[in-house]
């Protein structure tokens, strides 16, 4: 089954404790992206990657890092999490960027709470 | 001014009626426009996309685009309770690198 898999789905952590949210897709997509979703603010892009070893900042990159060493994986790293990073995170991928139908396939989401 | 704006709602519509969801965008050079549906606690799923001015129909859904007015809408005919969800408008900007989402409109269909 074609899918984007995120882990963990739920995580409660404490301020300053480094964590990684993994994202993997099995569709051979070139484009991958991370979003965070907060009430009243919609989906905001954190980082995106056009292909292996090519990453760029989105709208809200502060406090996050990413890497794209393999085509299928795009982990999101929080080096020193803070409470304002408490959010619902979505990873998404696409094979036809920038144009084309069926643009983004989303993962199931990772709900992160930073105490 | 937000890049993509939607009325956050909630929008309440009786079952069987037409639900109308609206979205405006600021980048006049935007080329592609998408509507995603998101059920509570779930990930967004693509409903429709539209590139050209005018209407595009797919079953009970119609997307309307007016580039001169920088306005895109989604009509849902014969609304069903299962249509109750948050609807996200997304716009591909002129740089074609980023998909910008609106804050979403929460729609409730009342039986």
């Amino acid at each position: 089954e074609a899918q984007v898999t995120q882990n963990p789905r739920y995580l409660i952590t404490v301020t300053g404790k480094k964590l990684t949210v993994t994202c993997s897709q099995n569709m051979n997509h070139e484009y991958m992206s991370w979003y965070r979703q907060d009430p009243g603010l919609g989906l905001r892009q954190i980082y995106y990657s056009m292909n292996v070893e090519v990453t760029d900042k989105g709208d809200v990159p502060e406090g996050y890092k990413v890497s794209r060493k393999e085509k299928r994986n795009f982990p999101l790293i929080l080096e020193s999490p803070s409470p304002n990073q408490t959010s619902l995170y979505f990873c998404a991928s696409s094979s036809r960027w920038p144009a084309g139908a069926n643009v983004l396939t989303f993962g199931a989401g990772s709900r992160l709470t930073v105490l | 001014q937000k890049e993509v704006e939607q009325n956050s709602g909630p929008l309440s519509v009786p079952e069987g009626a037409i639900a109308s969801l609206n979205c405006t965008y600021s980048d006049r050079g935007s080329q592609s426009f998408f509507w995603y549906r998101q059920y509570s606690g779930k990930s967004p799923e693509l409903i429709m996309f539209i590139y050209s001015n005018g209407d595009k129909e797919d079953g009970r859904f119609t997307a309307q685009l007016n580039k001169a007015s920088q306005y895109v809408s989604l009509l849902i005919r014969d609304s069903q309770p299962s249509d109750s969800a948050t609807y996200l408008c997304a716009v591909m900007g002129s740089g074609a690198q980023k998909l910008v989402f609106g804050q979403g409109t929460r729609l409730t269909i009342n039986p």
Side-chain angles (χ1 to χ4, degrees), chain A residues 9 31 35 37 40-43 45 48 50 59 88 90 97-104 106-109, chain B residues 2-3 32 34 36 38 41-46 49 51 86 88 92 96-104:
Chain A
R9 292 287 316 281
Y31 181 91
Y35 293 87
Q37 187 172 36
L41 296 177
L43 283 163
Q45 190 177 49
Y48 64 95
M50 302 294 282
D59 295 316
L88 177 60
F90 287 103
W97 197 269
N102 302 318
V103 175
L104 285 175
F106 283 87
Chain B
K2 290 182 181 178
E3 292 183 68
S32 309
F34 306 85
Y36 284 82
Q38 186 177 23
K42 302 295 185 182
S43 56
E45 55 180 335
L46 182 70
F49 61 92
Y51 302 141
T86 295
L88 302 169
M92 176 74 74
Q97 294 282 334
K98 186 172 67 172
L99 191 65
V100 179
F101 286 83
Q103 71 268 42

Side-chain angles (χ1 to χ4, degrees), chain A residues 26-44:
Chain A
N26 61 1
M27 297 166 281
N28 201 36
H29 285 172
E30 292 84 12
Y31 181 91
M32 297 185 75
S33 181
W34 277 101
Y35 293 87
R36 61 177 288 174
Q37 187 172 36
D38 303 288
L41 296 177
L43 283 163
R44 293 180 293 166

Side-chain angles (χ1 to χ4, degrees), chain B residues 62-82:
Chain B
T62 299
Q64 299 176 317
L65 175 61
N66 183 326
K67 288 187 178 181
S69 300
Q70 296 175 241
Y71 176 94
V72 58
S73 65
L74 179 71
L75 301 178
I76 306 174
R77 290 182 300 281
D78 188 23
S79 297
Q80 303 296 310
S82 59

Side-chain angles (χ1 to χ4, degrees), chain A residues 8-21:
Chain A
R9 292 287 316 281
Y10 302 92
L11 179 63
I12 299 174
T13 189
V14 295
T15 299
K17 185 176 181 181
K18 180 180 178 180
L19 69 92
T20 299
V21 185

